[in-house]
Amino acid sequence: MASLKDRISGLAINNNNALFLLQADARTPYYPPNPSSTGTKLSVNVSIPLGAPGSSVAATIPQIAGGRIWFSIGAPLVFAVNPGPGLVEPSIFNPQDPNINTNFGFSEFTFNSSQLFVNISYVDFVGPPIALTLTDTSNTTQHVSGMPVNGLQTVANALVAQTQKDTRRWSSLIVNTSSGSNAGQLLRILSPNSGILLNPTWFQPYWQPYVDQVYTHYTSQPLTVNTQASFGNVSGEVNSQSNSLNLGAGGMFQKPTAADIFGCNTGPFATGQNSETNTIIPRLAAAFNRSTLLLTNNIPDGEQVSQYYTNTITNHYARIVHAANLDGKGYAFPYDDVVPDGGVPQEGALFSYSPALLTVAVGGNGAYAA
């Protein structure tokens, strides 16, 4: 494997939430000053060399909010700072970004006085395989396996097969390097939401038949949503005149589009001032992505993991990504953490109130199912 680099960024909780990066020695904090112009280069080296496969580097990180542990293969990531200061992170959406042809990924975490929370995210894209192991002060260990070495290719192959099956744009989510000596090689895989942000017409009519079936189904029987909050169970039916799902004080939900479903934050899934609506949105959006709304009228409690993604119209990206992870876990869409009461978590998150050591492995060589 080519050389690996690491960068760690976030907001320093005990330093007025100042922008934070860890220097190349993996110990010294760096707080970028507020620059006078956009795109200002960092004045210190924050690229932590990770060495050859099998080696490890110990990093000391202060309490951070919105933290990311970045990995890049073959080239160090290029960061900049805008006035604020605000970190200009690598972007998969900007073709002019200096990192656009670099193989990179990240793990998200929050480390505060109460707990350490960390997860593997595939919400925007699939990059290098990442695995997580968290050990607490009682020497109890939690583990998220991630993908093996060939995980990215496995996802790409499955997306191609799905496109051959239903002719939709799944294979278009595959991104190859566009320049350099590695031009044409598999680089990353976009989520459908990221694909739509770059190409708004992708998947435009995809969900309509399923959505129409769901709204017809609930014109004659109620849908019950367990808010898993103080609002308890909320029930309602589709109003045939307004063609919207009426959940009373929980809100009215118009038919979502493909962009609404994959992104989980627009149209009927846009959060607002109604806190009851805001608790319903994740559960309804998750049920659409997993295509369970015709299998049970009680979400999420009536759902089983074995039922997820079984409809021909579903979030096949999420299905394929979960299947490629050795333990089936990882955030594949924004509300992938929704589960029935007492259900099996899907999002691949770890947390501890007394963390001692977080081990993040990249590359897939050490991936294993716990």
Side-chain angles (χ1 to χ4, degrees), residues 273-313:
Q273 299 300 313
N274 187 328
S275 56
E276 185 172 341
T277 301
N278 293 344
T279 64
I280 293 171
I281 286 171
R283 288 141 189 88
L284 193 57
F288 269 108
N289 275 278
R290 295 165 177 165
S291 302
T292 56
L293 285 160
L294 298 176
L295 301 176
T296 176
N297 65 345
N298 182 13
I299 61 170
D301 287 351
E303 303 168 339
Q304 302 291 327
V305 173
S306 60
Q307 296 175 315
Y308 294 172
Y309 315 115
T310 54
N311 196 288
T312 55
I313 298 176

Side-chain angles (χ1 to χ4, degrees), residues 205-296:
Y206 176 67
W207 282 96
Q208 185 173 342
Y210 181 79
V211 171
D212 288 345
Q213 281 183 287
V214 168
Y215 274 64
T216 298
H217 184 73
Y218 288 109
T219 57
S220 58
Q221 60 180 297
L223 172 68
T224 298
V225 181
N226 179 2
T227 64
Q228 298 172 308
S230 60
F231 308 105
N233 290 331
V234 177
S235 297
E237 296 183 7
V238 171
N239 183 311
S240 58
Q241 291 183 335
S242 64
N243 209 18
S244 58
L245 176 62
N246 183 356
L247 292 177
M252 302 279 285
F253 294 84
Q254 299 288 334
K255 289 183 177 181
T257 65
D260 298 335
I261 292 171
F262 286 131
C264 299
N265 63 355
T266 57
F269 303 139
T271 57
Q273 299 300 313
N274 187 328
S275 56
E276 185 172 341
T277 301
N278 293 344
T279 64
I280 293 171
I281 286 171
R283 288 141 189 88
L284 193 57
F288 269 108
N289 275 278
R290 295 165 177 165
S291 302
T292 56
L293 285 160
L294 298 176
L295 301 176
T296 176

